[in-house]
Amino acid sequence: MSTERFLKQRAVNVAVDGHYTLPNWYDPQGKLRTFACRTSRVSPFRMIVDVPVVGKICDYLTSYFRDFGKLDGCISDTRPGSFLLELDMTLARRERLANKLVWLEEKQKDPEIIDLRRDARVIPANPQTTFTLADGAVHECFIVDMSVSGVAVSAEAEIDLGTPLAVGACVGRVVRVFPHGFAVRFIERQNQHDLDRLCARPVAAPVAGARPLSEPEATDVALDASCPGSQTPSMTSRLTADTGRLQPAPCEPSDRA
């Protein structure tokens, strides 16, 4: 589709910062180069993106926007300083994007409209992670969105309301269940800059000869935090289903004199 034709279609004029990679653009280390970009007009099917490096028609690229998440697509038209990206996504993702755009458009019309959620939601660049139950069972899941106070995930496993668990290294409790997933409220608010590192953790490949992850080793969930007096920078938090609370486990004594 041409840019001129898209400008006549229903879409939202919105500026959202992001970044993208183009095929065959490498840095001196042989890695794909990443460039900053910004949307100027977006629909659930395509978007105009202002960029420093335009690329070529039919180039397939990967982009990431804080409000929209990771978006793949193919360049269908170019202009000086911008290109038209045809979005390649599932029907479910397209519906979520459409809902987001409707909200953004309404907010532009009425600046008094605010997000009812207290904390801003973001979509991680790598949404694949795991969650750990109180019995030590580990399940893979997909992050829908997350904030400093909680996370929504989609998973094959069915989890009951009120279940204590840890998504990545962030411990919390299930406060809402929806089709194909659930929402978790963290016990402690997280630092915005640490969310990707703590919550969106890459799924580790299975080690040959290792016991299945679903076989419980203990009732502890490891967290990335310092334990005073310990040589290893780690802390465990025990998920206690009987009390309905998360109780910090005592630090192990140090081996140092």
Side-chain angles (χ1 to χ4, degrees):
M1 175 179 291
S2 67
T3 302
E4 289 78 8
R5 183 179 176 187
F6 176 54
L7 291 173
K8 299 177 182 178
Q9 291 186 339
R10 180 83 166 83
V12 179
N13 295 322
V14 59
V16 178
D17 292 332
H19 57 79
Y20 68 105
T21 57
L22 284 170
N24 302 320
W25 280 80
Y26 296 93
D27 62 18
Q29 287 72 41
K31 297 181 180 179
L32 284 173
R33 289 190 60 186
T34 299
F35 303 96
C37 63
R38 180 181 294 116
T39 66
S40 61
R41 185 173 176 83
V42 185
S43 83
F45 300 92
R46 54 192 58 88
M47 61 171 59
I48 297 176
V49 187
D50 296 329
V51 296
V53 180
V54 174
K56 301 177 181 178
I57 293 178
C58 293
D59 275 353
Y60 193 89
L61 58 86
T62 296
S63 62
Y64 173 78
F65 299 91
R66 185 179 182 85
D67 288 346
F68 304 140
K70 178 175 175 288
L71 298 176
D72 296 330
C74 182
I75 297 177
S76 62
D77 193 16
T78 62
R79 281 187 170 186
S82 68
F83 56 65
L84 180 62
L85 184 67
E86 302 290 333
L87 300 176
D88 181 12
M89 58 176 61
T90 63
L91 178 60
R93 282 289 310 278
R94 207 178 298 278
E95 289 178 349
R96 287 199 296 269
L97 177 58
N99 292 334
K100 182 74 173 184
L101 291 173
V102 169
W103 185 86
L104 288 172
E105 187 176 41
E106 292 299 321
K107 188 177 181 180
Q108 288 178 345
K109 294 178 181 178
D110 185 359
E112 294 185 358
I113 294 179
I114 60 173
D115 194 338
L116 296 179
R117 292 178 297 195
R118 181 176 57 184
D119 301 308
R121 296 279 170 167
V122 298
I123 302 173
N126 178 18
Q128 303 295 336
T129 188
T130 60
F131 67 88
T132 308
L133 299 175
D135 62 0
V138 179
H139 301 269
E140 295 183 7
C141 62
F142 179 92
I143 295 178
V144 178
D145 58 30
M146 61 185 183
S147 74
V148 296
S149 61
V151 59
V153 303
S154 178
E156 182 178 355
E158 295 183 359
I159 305 299
D160 295 330
L161 190 67
T163 301
L165 49 77
V167 178
C170 298
V171 180
R173 186 178 299 279
V174 176
V175 295
R176 184 166 61 91
V177 176
F178 52 85
H180 311 300
F182 52 89
V184 175
R185 179 180 297 150
F186 299 143
I187 297 302
E188 297 180 351
R189 289 173 64 85
Q190 305 297 316
N191 186 299
Q192 183 73 50
H193 301 292
D194 292 335
L195 272 179
D196 272 346
R197 178 176 64 86
L198 295 177
C199 197
R201 291 187 157 189
V203 178
V207 180
R211 297 173 64 184
L213 288 175
S214 59
E215 185 174 350
E217 296 286 348
T219 58
D220 294 337
V221 177
L223 298 182
D224 287 345
S226 296
C227 178
S230 174
Q231 291 180 337
T232 304
S234 66
M235 187 267 285
T236 58
S237 181
R238 185 168 292 116
L239 300 173
T240 53
D242 53 342
T243 63
R245 295 180 300 174
L246 292 171
Q247 298 177 346
C251 296
E252 297 180 358
S254 172
D255 292 334
R256 293 176 293 186

